[in-house]
Amino acid sequence: MPDQRCRVAVLASGRGSNFKAIAGACRDENFPARVICLITDNPAAPALELAADDGIESFTVPVTEKKGRLPEADELKIVDICEKRGVDLIVLAGFMRILKGPLLDRFEGRIMNIHPTLLPSFKGLHGVRQALEYGAKVSGCTVHFVDRTVDGGAIILQAAVPVDDDDDENSLLQKVNKEEHRIYVEAVELFATGRLLQEGRRVRILGNDFSRKG
Ligand code: GRF
């Protein structure tokens, strides 16, 4: 019987711990999604090795600019890879590029990102450091849909972690990462089972009874 599960492409530039968590969950054939490919802009990304270990097809999209926004030609290459493989969901997992072009035109509402703070606080590259320096007592992570803003799309799931007095950037990041791996897998599962309903900025999770009656 053909595998009908939701087809996921992961875009990652670095370590790939979120990629690993999602690929790990997808190894269970009862999980409603599977990772079709890994796409990176960094030929030295450790995530590439993880993909190879898992037998997941991977692509390094040639980088034609150093940082920031992905050049349109490269975005088009990613669109092509995803469309040819019938990808349903694109998951950004530490992908250090801004998407604004063709990927969003074709996949808007089907691209997720994870950010290591409780958005909308501490957007941008050094969110964990900013939360610490600001003196936040609680931080966390956010899975959100990607739109044309930076870290500004509709929020899907969040998890909080305490900021302890002796935390440094590294220890706080470790706590945040642990929660990231949990909620990113959950968000993929919710998407794959059609349980995310976006209404403007709000994303409702269908099938959850949050009513507090009586
Ligand atoms: C995560 O902390 C995520 O929030 C941010 O980039 C980091 C990626 O980590 N967007 P990894 O490569 O998944 O380990």
Side-chain angles (χ1 to χ4, degrees), residues 1 4 23 32 60 99 140 154 162 167:
M1 213 171 86
Q4 307 270 342
T60 305
L99 305 174
D167 268 329

Side-chain angles (χ1 to χ4, degrees), residues 14-204:
R15 190 174 53 148
S17 70
N18 282 282
F19 164 66
K20 189 177 173 186
I22 292 167
C26 290
R27 248 182 261 131
D28 179 348
E29 60 185 30
N30 294 314
F31 191 78
R34 62 183 176 132
V35 178
I36 297 298
C37 60
L38 170 78
I39 304 171
T40 185
D41 60 332
N42 173 13
L48 282 168
E49 233 173 90
L50 296 172
D53 290 347
D54 247 354
I56 293 172
E57 192 179 22
S58 60
F59 299 90
T60 305
V61 171
V63 180
T64 46
E65 277 173 24
K66 278 280 176 233
K67 278 193 176 161
R69 195 182 154 175
L70 199 65
E72 182 152 328
D74 286 345
E75 262 200 58
L76 278 168
K77 281 179 198 138
I78 297 175
V79 167
D80 188 56
I81 291 167
C82 291
E83 287 189 334
K84 283 202 173 114
R85 284 158 187 78
V87 163
D88 301 303
L89 172 66
I90 295 177
V91 165
L92 308 187
F95 189 62
M96 307 308 281
R97 296 292 182 143
I98 296 164
L99 305 174
K100 283 187 191 252
L103 258 170
L104 272 163
D105 295 341
R106 309 282 175 83
F107 285 91
E108 192 153 14
R110 298 191 289 144
I111 310 178
M112 288 179 184
N113 183 40
I114 188 142
H115 185 76
T117 68
L118 292 174
L119 290 172
S121 292
F122 312 120
K123 296 178 177 180
L125 271 186
H126 303 290
V128 175
R129 189 186 310 163
Q130 285 178 56
L132 204 57
E133 286 173 358
Y134 195 83
K137 296 290 185 192
V138 175
S139 194
C141 50
T142 304
V143 179
H144 62 91
F145 282 120
V146 174
D147 64 10
R148 279 161 213 279
T149 65
V150 176
D151 299 329
I155 291 171
I156 300 168
L157 288 175
Q158 292 186 303
V161 302
V163 183
D164 295 315
D165 289 349
D166 57 355
D167 268 329
D168 58 17
E169 195 175 344
N170 199 34
S171 63
L172 181 55
L173 183 61
Q174 277 183 27
K175 286 190 272 187
V176 168
N177 281 157
K178 198 166 164 228
E179 289 303 298
E180 285 188 339
H181 302 158
R182 184 177 67 75
I183 66 169
Y184 221 174
V185 167
E186 190 181 337
V188 169
E189 183 173 13
L190 289 169
F191 181 93
T193 49
R195 292 179 58 206
L196 296 179
L197 180 66
Q198 187 175 350
E199 294 173 330
R201 280 216 54 88
R202 300 190 71 177
V203 178
R204 282 175 50 208

